[in-house]
Amino acid sequence: MPVEQLGIRQLDNRDMAWLLDDKYGMFIHWGLYAGPGRGEWLMHNEGIPTDRYRLLATDRESNDYFAADRYDPAAWAKLAKDSGMRWMCLTARHHDGYCLFDSPHPNGFSSMRTHGRDFVEDYVKACRAAGLKVGLYYSPLSWRYPGYYDVTGDDCNSNPFGYEADASHKDNARLMKEENYANVRRLVSRYGKIDHVFWDGGWLGQQGTDADAAYFHEPGRYLAPNNAWPIDPQYIERDAEGRPLGMMGVVRAHQPKAMVNPRYGWIGDYRDEEGGHEVFGPIRSKDVYQKCMTTAGAWGYDRGALAEGRVIKPHEIVEMLVNCVVRDMVLLLNVGPDRHGVIPPEVADTLLAAGRWIESMKESIYGTRGGPWQPEDRRVGYCYRGDRVCVHLMKEFRGDAFALPFDQGFKPIRANDLSTGQELSINKGEGKYTVEGMSEGSMPNRVAVVLYDREILPRY
Ligand code: GLC
């Protein structure tokens, strides 16, 4: 759907400057799937029917029970902070439809009903108390609704639950949409300022793209008068002129500056790059890109990955973050707490070890922008702030010297090895300056800070 039809202005890079300054956040996938520990797609992957899946929230005797008895979001926030992260983003509701907050809709399946608790409320307070920005992940799709697979009531697609096409599914899908409007309105209006909203799963029936399903979800500014899946008026929010707001209309009405990804089928304030693959290529330029990836197997708690020691290494985190920074991207790194609410200690350790490097090199991370020169994959990348350029020497860079291009009269006047503080020599050569004397460094990534004779101008 064209942007104009969706009618919502994207935030610009000035509105999102905090994100480009903060660089590094903690993603948290936590929900009923933490019990079995086979990842957050458990219900769908194993075709677990709704009534059996519900036992994860109610059967206290089971080893898979979502006990949440050590839920301590202040401890998550402390870990995030001590690891160099500056915001958090929690799965308020994943695709299984279980809400970690008090869903105001009669169909809402929520921690308030099963545990008498609003986990999101405590989480938001903990973020704020720690000085972290607040992010919420929300999935528009819910496997609890057969109508999700069959919005028109005549084609149930392939689904793992054995649902078959049924005319009643059309209204069931409408209820799914209605629950979303009720839930999101609550999430954006109840807890004060929300800085980041991460949609995931705007598609329908496990098919097509998020944008393909915009006719159903109506993610733009307004709801259409004759949409075939109308929302009950009590869940509709209106603007000052009485026009009914679509999903992003609702978000912007309460959180005008929240930065929101595109994955509900709208245009999006920024772009996602999802998964653990390496970040390559040029500076991402005009759009802000957020790399998101996980630390140990699945996004949700993954017993198998932990048992096999498949946990990201500190130097891999550092490389990923540096690869983002030099391309003007940000990194959202995921953890999956267990059913008690505890982030696995081996994951916490790896985050803290990476955090020690980040702290010691913070001048070359926070508040910088990618450039002024394009990176060379795996070898070297640049970021700058004011009159300083940070040169990140990456894992395939060998030696103790690197070159800086002659650039429109900008002159380097001093260079230091950031890890040792040691001054480096700058030699003028043919078409370039050569900087010499870098130490070995304790990580594959080394950083030099070069002071120039004037401010570096933004290029990209
Ligand atoms: C993928 C996964 C989903 C996870 C998301 C995070 O889409 O399927 O479970 O929440 O990535 O970006």
Side-chain angles (χ1 to χ4, degrees):
M1 195 180 280
V3 187
E4 302 74 49
Q5 259 173 284
L6 293 175
I8 279 280
R9 186 180 77 85
Q10 284 174 276
L11 298 186
D12 59 29
N13 285 11
R14 258 170 319 174
D15 293 323
M16 290 190 286
W18 71 265
L19 180 73
L20 287 169
D21 287 342
D22 287 0
K23 300 283 187 236
Y24 185 31
M26 178 184 274
F27 209 178
I28 305 167
H29 276 64
W30 192 54
L32 300 184
Y33 42 80
R38 294 192 292 278
E40 76 290 351
W41 273 67
L42 173 83
M43 180 176 174
H44 194 271
N45 288 349
E46 302 184 15
I48 303 172
T50 308
D51 48 351
R52 195 145 57 77
Y53 193 80
R54 168 178 263 281
L55 294 176
L56 296 172
T58 55
D59 181 4
R60 292 163 176 267
E61 303 311 314
S62 159
N63 284 336
D64 289 344
Y65 173 59
F66 181 67
D69 51 347
R70 293 178 63 194
Y71 173 59
D72 179 6
W76 293 354
K78 181 169 186 329
L79 174 64
K81 244 187 132 164
D82 291 349
S83 305
M85 294 155 157
R86 299 205 164 168
W87 88 98
M88 301 209 287
C89 182
L90 170 68
T91 49
R93 181 180 101 154
H94 206 268
H95 307 331
D96 60 2
Y98 184 69
C99 301
L100 297 179
F101 56 98
D102 187 8
S103 169
H105 194 269
N107 279 4
F109 174 40
S110 78
S111 61
M112 193 50 111
R113 286 181 209 168
T114 59
H115 293 62
R117 295 184 65 182
D118 182 333
F119 294 119
V120 167
E121 184 173 22
D122 300 334
Y123 155 82
V124 172
K125 281 190 192 141
C127 291
R128 289 226 189 82
L132 298 169
K133 302 251 177 3
V134 183
L136 293 174
Y137 164 112
Y138 184 86
S139 165
L141 77 83
S142 165
W143 295 317
R144 295 169 51 76
Y145 289 85
Y148 158 65
Y149 298 94
D150 185 18
V151 293
T152 47
D154 55 11
D155 177 4
C156 220
N157 291 300
S158 98
N159 71 80
F161 305 108
Y163 304 137
E164 286 176 13
D166 189 307
S168 70
H169 287 164
K170 187 172 175 200
D171 195 56
N172 185 264
R174 188 191 69 72
L175 287 169
M176 176 178 83
K177 173 178 173 182
E178 186 175 281
E179 190 198 328
N180 288 335
Y181 275 78
N183 286 344
V184 171
R185 186 178 182 182
R186 163 92 34 142
L187 287 172
V188 294
S189 65
R190 182 98 177 204
Y191 307 105
K193 187 159 189 264
I194 303 295
D195 302 284
H196 175 207
V197 177
F198 191 120
W199 308 124
D200 180 29
W203 64 82
L204 289 167
Q206 303 300 122
Q207 292 182 345
T209 66
D210 299 320
D212 291 343
Y215 71 92
F216 170 81
H217 285 301
E218 302 189 85
R221 174 170 286 176
Y222 297 114
L223 294 171
N226 299 313
N227 189 276
W229 296 268
I231 292 163
D232 188 289
Q234 66 176 304
Y235 300 111
I236 292 181
E237 176 127 26
R238 292 174 188 277
D239 70 5
E241 284 80 52
R243 282 173 295 195
L245 297 176
M247 192 51 85
M248 281 307 301
V250 174
V251 173
R252 285 282 195 262
H254 296 280
Q255 305 289 345
K257 297 282 177 184
M259 55 140 223
V260 186
N261 77 352
R263 288 156 72 168
Y264 215 128
W266 81 295
I267 186 78
D269 294 320
Y270 69 93
R271 315 267 146 240
D272 290 310
E273 271 189 39
E274 185 181 282
H277 53 274
E278 216 173 328
V279 171
F280 284 116
I283 298 169
R284 294 299 186 269
S285 81
K286 74 182 210 323
D287 284 324
V288 175
Y289 280 76
Q290 176 175 271
K291 167 82 169 174
C292 66
M293 58 176 294
T294 192
T295 44
W299 299 80
Y301 185 69
D302 184 339
R303 277 178 208 288
L306 292 168
E308 291 161 19
R310 280 190 280 121
V311 177
I312 194 168
K313 308 267 185 306
H315 73 87
E316 292 169 331
I317 298 177
V318 167
E319 273 166 30
M320 196 59 81
L321 180 62
V322 167
N323 270 318
C324 288
V325 168
V326 300
R327 292 174 176 80
D328 233 3
M329 298 168 64
V330 301
L331 176 63
L332 183 62
L333 186 63
N334 178 70
V335 299
D338 68 12
R339 68 193 186 96
H340 303 286
V342 175
I343 294 172
E346 53 273 59
V347 172
D349 288 347
T350 204
L351 294 183
L352 289 168
R356 285 191 285 277
W357 185 93
I358 296 166
E359 174 62 24
S360 70
M361 300 287 164
K362 61 182 174 217
E363 185 182 341
S364 69
I365 305 287
Y366 305 113
T368 65
R369 295 293 180 269
W373 305 298
Q374 291 291 357
E376 286 171 51
D377 291 338
R378 295 185 179 163
R379 280 179 43 77
V380 61
Y382 311 90
C383 60
Y384 67 94
R385 181 184 190 167
D387 53 7
R388 270 145 233 264
V389 174
C390 302
V391 182
H392 286 268
L393 302 180
M394 297 187 268
K395 62 182 174 191
E396 290 182 4
F397 190 93
R398 301 277 171 269
D400 69 348
F402 60 88
L404 293 171
F406 283 160
D407 205 332
Q408 293 173 24
F410 285 79
K411 227 175 119 221
I413 50 181
R414 201 176 64 228
N416 289 83
D417 181 329
L418 189 55
S419 61
T420 60
Q422 189 84 38
E423 187 158 348
L424 306 167
S425 64
I426 306 175
N427 305 306
K428 200 166 175 183
E430 189 91 350
K432 63 179 186 205
Y433 296 96
T434 307
V435 182
E436 285 168 13
M438 284 298 290
S439 67
E440 281 305 312
S442 55
M443 286 263 184
N445 293 65
R446 296 176 285 161
V447 187
V449 179
V450 183
L451 177 68
Y452 274 76
D453 62 345
R454 67 194 90 165
E455 292 233 335
I456 312 296
L457 302 173
R459 308 280 177 93
Y460 300 98

